[in-house]
Amino acid sequence: MKTYVRKCANCDIRIEENVYKYSKEKIGYSLCRNCQDWYKNLDRTVTDKAINLYFELKNRGIKAELEKFDGYKHIDIAIVSARLNIEIDGKQHNTQTEQALSDLKRTYYSFMKGYYTIRIPNSIAYNKELIKETADYIEEMVNHSKTTAKLR
């Protein structure tokens, strides 16, 4: 008899204990077999920082999407229901003028489509406690977005 006591951190289905243990040991997250394949096939440009925040948000029940393509660009993390894009930026986003202008243009085009972009520096994303606090703020934004959407 299979024992199902854990859930996949990505798709939320129940997983067997042996799958859970393997996934936690090899990947670091509780993932079902399908999501382990998804994780292994992620574009290697996805940073660990984005992945950590993504799973912190998923852990809170937020329907986030990793590396969402909006037809123009890839977004590190998108929360479509809240019309919120999250970009995790390295220092080059502040020190290289061409990169900074490109980021401003990306933010502008998303804003014109009705999406708000927040930029989180890598310096926050390196710290597990700060990732949790960042996810707390994002969760509040998502909840506020749901509340204001109901009032419209």
Side-chain angles (χ1 to χ4, degrees):
M1 184 170 129
K2 295 179 181 177
T3 306
Y4 296 94
V5 293
R6 309 288 183 155
K7 287 191 173 188
C8 176
N10 190 48
C11 71
D12 210 34
I13 68 165
R14 297 176 123 201
I15 57 176
E16 300 170 33
E17 186 66 22
N18 63 329
V19 174
Y20 167 80
K21 287 178 181 177
Y22 174 86
S23 181
K24 287 292 279 186
E25 180 183 315
K26 299 292 183 186
I27 297 174
Y29 301 102
S30 170
L31 299 175
C32 67
R33 287 187 173 130
N34 286 340
C35 289
Q36 287 177 34
D37 291 340
W38 163 81
Y39 180 85
K40 289 173 185 173
N41 291 319
L42 279 175
D43 184 341
R44 289 298 110 196
T45 61
V46 180
T47 66
D48 290 344
K49 292 133 206 94
I51 292 169
N52 290 340
L53 180 58
Y54 169 77
F55 280 116
E56 195 62 46
L57 294 169
K58 294 288 280 187
N59 189 45
R60 288 166 162 72
I62 296 171
K63 293 183 180 177
E65 296 180 52
L66 191 61
E67 281 299 298
K68 170 100 172 141
F69 186 68
D70 71 354
Y72 176 72
K73 65 197 172 306
H74 282 93
I75 300 154
D76 290 340
I77 302 170
I79 305 171
V80 176
S81 64
R83 303 185 68 79
L84 181 64
N85 294 335
I86 302 166
E87 295 289 346
I88 300 178
D89 293 340
K91 65 181 177 181
Q92 77 276 11
H93 292 266
N94 294 322
T95 59
Q96 297 175 3
T97 55
E98 287 179 18
Q99 182 66 58
L101 183 58
S102 175
D103 290 345
L104 177 61
K105 289 177 182 177
R106 290 170 53 131
T107 298
Y108 169 81
Y109 290 117
S110 292
F111 182 79
M112 296 308 284
K113 288 181 165 182
Y115 285 80
Y116 184 73
T117 302
I118 58 173
R119 298 190 171 279
I120 298 169
N122 269 347
S123 57
I124 287 177
Y126 280 113
N127 182 305
K128 264 195 174 303
E129 288 307 310
L130 292 178
I131 282 281
K132 289 177 187 282
E133 187 174 350
T134 300
D136 289 341
Y137 282 107
I138 293 168
E139 183 177 24
E140 286 295 319
M141 286 186 244
V142 170
N143 290 338
H144 180 76
S145 175
K146 289 178 185 174
T147 301
T148 56
K150 289 178 185 175
L151 297 175
R152 290 183 204 151

